[in-house]
């Protein structure tokens, strides 16, 4: 840990508290951060132009000499500094507004590199150019491929370049951390050369190699960390050895109103085998919305109860907790399995009672929200931990629930399909089971994209469905990432619909700003079919299961991402009736129309996720940080797949050899940060 302190940027020569503070605004706290403040792009100054060849409207680079300087104050509050520079072919006016210090920085006669957008009026002019002195040895050493960093007004490109150069030459911060054998096997650049060339590339070829090395290092460390956690979780740890399925599990499955699909049977077997092993289960169950993960959870919970243990299931929202609670109560209570719910909104006395009963073993199965990982919650003998909709929880939250027991089996469930590389990263510590097929008899949800000129028809359609006994959702525009605004727009839409389109229909409203009791009341009436049309914000996105609902209208559909639209659509098509999803949008942009039409084309979540990725680009896909893992600073999880696979392979070898792994511990502590540092200390 000592290293962290010395690493603070404050202690770098020439950086006082003031500059240090400004650097933190760029996310730079340590020398390591500074080295990893990678250039956003590079400018190739090897192709410097002569002034008479500059093109109007282009950003150009050229070398010139300071010739003349003039200042004027055409009016109050406006000061213009004009410097004339020239080469053997012509002159250019450099113009700055209200930056009088410019004049002092560049002495007349000095040679400079100028970058900026050329404007040819009656003379050649560049406003607010970027300028670098050539007499400065730095610039020459930098070669002509110049790094351009994320910078701001007080922390300039130049300051960053000088600082990074200083770190590279005067501080011993780039010592090798990768095992020599791996460097050799994958022909990687050494660390020092890589850092030097990612910042100040000698040429494009070395730059490429430098990047590959640093991407490799980043992914390798991440994978080593994850694989190590996985290994810790199982090797040498004696978990709970569940017995083979007995009559309780059998009774639960006999109670189901349907028989399991082949995929469900397959994953159930995988789970059962894991649970019957002495090593703790660490398994991810992924399956598209509606594929029937909940029954799998129920059967696994029954298995742990049958073996004399308690089971816990954590979900991200209260609505979902309540729904699972009701599903599981129906299955479990008749068989004497004691199931309870624990959320933040239980009355204090009830809450305390449930917590006490969990501790004394009077509860067999508990369903809850984050309330489950509060410190006060202790189990008597926790055997199985399930988290549903895993993407809503971080790696640490999952671990917290797991730590409530003594090496319980762990199952995480997700309906959010993600590409393989991503899965290996965020779930790198888990084994994976997948349900691909949907239960039989499901009709494909028909999806349409419509403009608001067809609104009346769309709502007439709702009325028709309701009259034949079905129910519907109307989802409101996501105005911005604020529950307050969303709630408002939901309320407005609701009021309007009551007066107009849905005047004769029993409607309900739910949004995130309602009190839990009110929300429950509405949800309850919707479950029971008293409410026919539910107007809602995205609070219903996850897990809500009302098989009788067959219509979903999404207002201003262009405001939702594909993954979210798919989740929302997953609320219908859960029963035997044909279901319809109608995306209302007046946004005629081709991108929008294309995106929405993909929804109309496919019901397959995995296909959608890939399309989404193609459209949005990898950067905007799920943040790794969302999963509680360190951010990737250089690697691109989608496009660096080749390096990723190499790094993963290397990491597997390293983690298998304790001597090699031990040498990595300090680097992992730095990379994973404080939360994980205990795990990686020796
Ligand atoms: P998800 O995977 O999205 O959590 P659920 O577990 O909520 O899906 O299941 C969706 C619906 O499908 C539920 O109403 C459930 O009862 C039903 N279901 C699950 N498995 C089957 C099956 N094998 N056959 C028929 N219906 C099923
Ligand atoms: Mg579910």
């Amino acid at each position: 840990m000592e290293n962290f302190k010395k690493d603070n940027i404050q202690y770098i020569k020439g950086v006082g508290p003031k500059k240090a503070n400004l650097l933190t605004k760029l996310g730079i706290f340590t020398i390591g951060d500074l080295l990893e403040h990678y250039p956003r792009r590079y400018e190739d100054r090897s192709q410097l132009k002569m002034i008479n060849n500059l093109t109007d409207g282009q950003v150009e680079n050229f070398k010139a000499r300071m010739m003349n300087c003039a200042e004027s104050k055409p009016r109050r509050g406006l000061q213009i500094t004009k410097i004339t520079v020239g080469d053997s072919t012509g002159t250019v006016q450099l113009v700055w507004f209200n930056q009088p210090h410019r004049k002092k920085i560049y002495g007349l006669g000095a040679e400079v590199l100028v970058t900026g957008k050329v404007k040819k009026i009656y003379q050649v002019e560049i406003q607010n150019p970027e300028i670098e002195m050539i007499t400065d040895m730095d610039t020459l050493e930098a070669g002509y491929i110049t790094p351009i960093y994320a910078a701001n007004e007080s922390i300039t490109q130049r300051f960053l370049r000088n600082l990074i150069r200083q770190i590279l030459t005067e501080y011993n911060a780039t010592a090798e951390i990768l095992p020599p054998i791996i460097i050799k096997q994958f022909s990687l650049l050494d660390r020092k050369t890589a850092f030097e060339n990612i910042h100040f590339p000698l040429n494009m070829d070395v730059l490429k190699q430098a990047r590959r090395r640093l991407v490799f290092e980043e992914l390798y460390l991440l994978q080593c960390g994850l694989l190590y956690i996985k290994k810790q979780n199982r090797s040498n740890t004696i978990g709970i050895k569940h017995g083979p399925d007995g009559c309780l599990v059998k009774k639960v499955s006999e109670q189901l109103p349907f028989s399991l699909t082949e995929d469900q049977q397959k994953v159930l077997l995988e789970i059962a085998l894991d649970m019957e092993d002495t090593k703790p289960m660490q398994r991810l169950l992924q399956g598209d919305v509606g594929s029937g993960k909940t029954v799998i959870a129920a059967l696994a919970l029954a298995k742990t109860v049958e073996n004399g243990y308690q089971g816990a299931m954590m979900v991200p929202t209260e609505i979902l907790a309540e729904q699972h609670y009701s599903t599981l109560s129906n299955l479990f209570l008749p068989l004497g399995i004691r199931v309870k719910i624990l959320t933040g909104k239980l009355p204090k006395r009830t809450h305390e009672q449930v917590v006490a009963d969990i501790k004394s073993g009077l509860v067999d199965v508990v369903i809850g929200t984050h309330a489950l990982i509060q410190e006060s919650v202790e189990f008597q003998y926790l055997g199985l931990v399930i988290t549903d909709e895993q993407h809503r929880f971080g790696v640490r939250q999952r671990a917290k629930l797991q730590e409530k027991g003594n090496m319980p089996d762990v199952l995480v469930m997700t309906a959010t399909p993600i590409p393989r590389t991503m899965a290996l990263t965020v779930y790198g510590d888990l084994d994976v089971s997948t349900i691909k097929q949907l239960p039989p008899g499901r009709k494909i949800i028909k999806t349409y994209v419509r403009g608001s000129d067809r609104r009346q028809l769309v709502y007439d359609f709702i009325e028709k469905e309701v009259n034949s006994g079905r129910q519907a959702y109307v989802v409101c525009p996501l105005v911005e990432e604020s529950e307050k605004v969303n709630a408002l727009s939901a309320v407005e839409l609701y009021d309007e619909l009551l007066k107009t389109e849905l005047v004769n229909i029993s409607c309900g409203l739910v949004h995130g700003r309602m009190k839990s009791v009110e929300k429950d009341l509405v949800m309850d009436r919707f479950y029971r079919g008293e409410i026919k049309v539910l107007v809602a914000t995205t609070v219903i996105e996850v897990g809500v299961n009302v098989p009788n609902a067959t219509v979903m209208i999404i207002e201003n559909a262009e405001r939702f991402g594909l993954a979210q639209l798919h989740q929302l659509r997953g609320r219908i098509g859960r029963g035997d009736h044909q279901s319809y999803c109608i995306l209302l949008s007046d946004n005629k942009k081709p991108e929008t129309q294309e995106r929405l039409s993909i929804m109309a084309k496919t019901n397959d979540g995995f296909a959608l996720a890939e399309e989404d990725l193609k459209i949005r680009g990898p950067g905007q896909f799920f943040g790794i940080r969302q999963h509680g893992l360190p951010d990737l600073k250089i690697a691109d999880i989608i496009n660096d797949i080749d390096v990723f696979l190499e790094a993963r392979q290397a990491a597997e070898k390293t983690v298998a050899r304790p001597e090699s792994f031990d040498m990595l511990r300090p680097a992992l502590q730095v990379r994973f940060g404080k939360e994980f540092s205990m795990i990686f200390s020796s």
Side-chain angles (χ1 to χ4, degrees), residues 60 132 250-251 258 280 398 552 629:
E60 303 265 36
E132 257 181 285
K250 207 167 144 229
K251 277 188 192 148
F258 43 73
R398 192 171 84 212
M552 167 155 293
L629 294 174

Side-chain angles (χ1 to χ4, degrees), residues 554-575:
I554 303 182
E555 296 265 356
N556 292 65
E558 74 279 357
R559 307 212 178 173
F560 299 87
L562 276 181
Q564 205 174 17
L565 287 172
H566 182 63
Q567 282 284 333
L568 285 168
R569 182 170 61 179
R571 299 310 111 223
I572 55 172
R574 301 190 146 237

Side-chain angles (χ1 to χ4, degrees), residues 287-294 313 320 323-324 388-389 413-415 542-545 571 574:
D288 207 345
V289 275
S291 60
K293 296 183 293 294
T294 316
M313 180 155 163
L320 191 52
Q323 182 183 287
H324 280 338
D388 193 12
E389 307 300 346
M413 308 201 294
T414 182
V542 170
V544 172
N545 185 28
R571 299 310 111 223
R574 301 190 146 237

Side-chain angles (χ1 to χ4, degrees), residues 281-286 293 385-390 398 410-414 427 430-431 433:
M281 167 166 76
Q282 293 281 321
R283 186 166 287 276
L284 172 75
L285 171 56
Q286 55 175 356
K293 296 183 293 294
V385 157
I386 301 179
T387 34
D388 193 12
E389 307 300 346
Q390 159 67 20
R398 192 171 84 212
V410 173
L411 179 67
V412 306
M413 308 201 294
T414 182
Y427 304 129
L430 302 173
D431 297 315
S433 292

Side-chain angles (χ1 to χ4, degrees), residues 240-242 304-311 364 381-384:
I240 295 161
K241 189 173 165 61
H242 289 83
T304 206
V305 173
E306 178 165 71
N307 281 270
Y309 296 99
Q310 292 169 298
D364 299 315
Y381 25 64
L382 188 56
L384 173 67

